[in-house]
Amino acid sequence: MTSARERVRSELTAEITAAARRQLADVGAAGLSLRAVAREVGMVSSAVYRYFPSRDDLLTRLIIDGYDDLGAAAEAADDPAEAPAGRWSAVCRAVRAWALEHPHEYALLYGSPVPGYRAPQDTVPAASRVGGVLGRILGDAARGGALPEAAGTRDPSLISDAAVEVLGGDHPSLDETVRVRALLAWSSLYGTISFELFGHFVGSVEDGDRYFDLAMDDLARLIGL
Amino acid sequence: MTSARERVRSELTAEITAAARRQLADVGAAGLSLRAVAREVGMVSSAVYRYFPSRDDLLTRLIIDGYDDLGAAAEAADDPAEAPAGRWSAVCRAVRAWALEHPHEYALLYGSPVPGYRAPQDTVPAASRVGGVLGRILGDAARGGALPEAAGTRDPSLISDAAVEVLGGDHPSLDETVRVRALLAWSSLYGTISFELFGHFVGSVEDGDRYFDLAMDDLARLIGL
DNA sequence: TCTCGAACGAGAGCACCGCTCTCGTCGAAG
DNA sequence: CTTCGACGAGAGCGGTGCTCTCGTTCGAGA
């Protein structure tokens, strides 16, 4: 039921986002210009507004695509047959590799929010894919008996039920203490990558690859994997 | 030996940076407009270029000031008479409090780099003040015997000599393993704050204050404090 | 004390930006 | 076949960073 008009519209939309993606990789989100994107696809700037109501909506599209691309990379790097600690390291390495390959996209996703704070609702499903992978590793480790028994405390006012579900759900090995550590490890992964990418490790860390592996091993131990 | 002209120049420079600081707090770094700053101080835009050669130089000034302000807050929060773990928590809390009070400045410091990657040289001394405080805590803990004996490994290609010096220098309780953990804890502090400030914890962490305290306690234990 | 150059503020202007509006055109649904 | 909506082009508005020029004014050296 797709008319020719709808097809050419979706093709043009894809072409615009592709051009925007290229420009994002070149000059970063701050330098992304809707007019330049229009020039690249051979349009006049006002015509682009038929497809994206504003520059920020175009950026939101790129954010969602970026989350999806990163999430796919993380999912592809996770082999459920491996041991939990190995899975954790592999996924962390994949996230870092993606960030190093797409620094401007990474900055768009995990750096300073760009506009008047983007609408989170649309980006949530794509944004939670990496967290989902990491949570699955934790849950599998718990169900596989790789985690020590926990004290079993549960404090509903600290971590949301949705996050508890993502972090492996209910299990004797999972309590608020290890869930806090899992969230901490999750954000620390991005803290490490951001520091490397944004230059805060310049002058301190000499061998980024080895430092990252050691740091992620420490985080795995922190969680108990 | 300061002529009247020099004095009025430094006063005007301060007035411009103050106006820019206010605008940064209002609309963020991306929305900071040199022309608006000029309007606020009652100048025409071209006159501001007598004091700052470009908008990015003005931003660099704000970055340095921000690092200094944050560093001062961290130093003020550190009481060397306290136990290492308590000092660590206090400094972490101070950094977070500063970030929550100055979200746009924090984003400017630790979010995506703004221009064509700022000149790091000028910002380095101010930027390393918080790291200096945390490193001092680690060194004091080692010299105070609060840390377990370490294996004593030293790998010069992993962490720079300058960073080793900041992280307490040479001591039997300090080896590459705990130094990696200290750097990890350092970046994790900012990873945690950034996730909270940039909205990545929305839907997961319900009680930000308590989560932060628990997470920082975990990091202190990771280092061995 | 006078002079001359440097510092300064103001203004015009350039190229670019996001975004809006209007106006022909063309395709597809009725 | 008609008609209406989607579409691209173009002009234009207000804003931006930045440059250049032009009088003015201040202050250091003669």
Side-chain angles (χ1 to χ4, degrees), chain A residues 3-5 32-35 39 45-46 49-50 54-55:
Chain A
S3 72
R5 195 160 224 169
L32 190 144
S33 146
L34 193 141
R35 290 176 109 111
R39 275 193 298 270
S45 73
S46 61
Y49 285 85
R50 303 280 185 194
S54 80
R55 176 184 176 274

Side-chain angles (χ1 to χ4, degrees), chain A residues 5-224:
Chain A
R5 195 160 224 169
E6 287 176 14
R7 206 176 54 222
V8 69
R9 179 180 178 83
S10 77
E11 275 176 15
L12 260 179
T13 306
E15 201 171 332
I16 291 173
T17 58
R21 203 181 198 80
R22 277 192 297 273
Q23 205 187 331
L24 172 62
D26 272 3
V27 297
L32 190 144
S33 146
L34 193 141
R35 290 176 109 111
V37 171
R39 275 193 298 270
E40 191 171 330
V41 296
M43 270 182 179
V44 88
S45 73
S46 61
V48 179
Y49 285 85
R50 303 280 185 194
Y51 300 86
F52 292 93
S54 80
R55 176 184 176 274
D56 286 352
D57 288 85
L58 182 54
L59 271 182
T60 302
R61 176 76 258 163
L62 295 183
I63 289 175
I64 295 175
D65 285 0
Y67 276 128
D68 261 323
D69 199 38
L70 171 60
E75 288 165 7
D78 182 32
D79 177 7
E82 294 287 324
R87 292 173 67 186
W88 165 263
S89 292
V91 172
C92 288
R93 270 199 283 259
V95 172
R96 174 171 178 260
W98 187 92
L100 293 180
E101 281 170 24
H102 311 83
H104 284 127
E105 291 194 57
Y106 177 86
L108 178 61
L109 300 184
Y110 293 101
S112 332
V114 179
Y117 290 82
R118 59 197 129 115
Q121 221 53 22
D122 306 352
T123 68
V124 163
S128 50
R129 286 179 68 173
V130 173
V133 173
L134 298 178
R136 215 168 300 133
I137 294 175
L138 182 67
D140 289 352
R143 281 180 294 278
L147 262 53
E149 191 100 355
T153 58
R154 168 80 181 111
D155 180 351
S157 70
L158 185 60
I159 297 175
S160 76
D161 294 343
V164 168
E165 195 54 43
V166 170
L167 292 171
D170 253 338
H171 190 275
S173 297
L174 300 176
D175 71 347
E176 220 72 348
T177 302
V178 351
R179 279 191 278 260
V180 165
R181 287 179 183 156
L183 285 176
L184 173 60
W186 174 50
S187 64
S188 297
L189 162 64
Y190 291 99
T192 302
I193 295 174
S194 295
F195 260 38
E196 177 179 2
L197 222 53
F198 299 161
H200 297 291
F201 276 150
V202 172
S204 301
V205 175
E206 305 269 11
D207 188 338
D209 292 352
R210 283 205 24 246
Y211 169 79
F212 183 82
D213 286 345
L214 291 171
M216 294 305 109
D217 287 349
D218 276 329
L219 290 180
R221 263 189 298 273
L222 176 73
I223 309 176

Side-chain angles (χ1 to χ4, degrees), chain B residues 4-5 33-35 39 45-46 49 54-55:
Chain B
R5 194 161 225 168
S33 148
L34 193 141
R35 290 176 107 110
R39 277 193 297 270
S45 73
S46 60
Y49 285 85
S54 79
R55 175 184 176 275

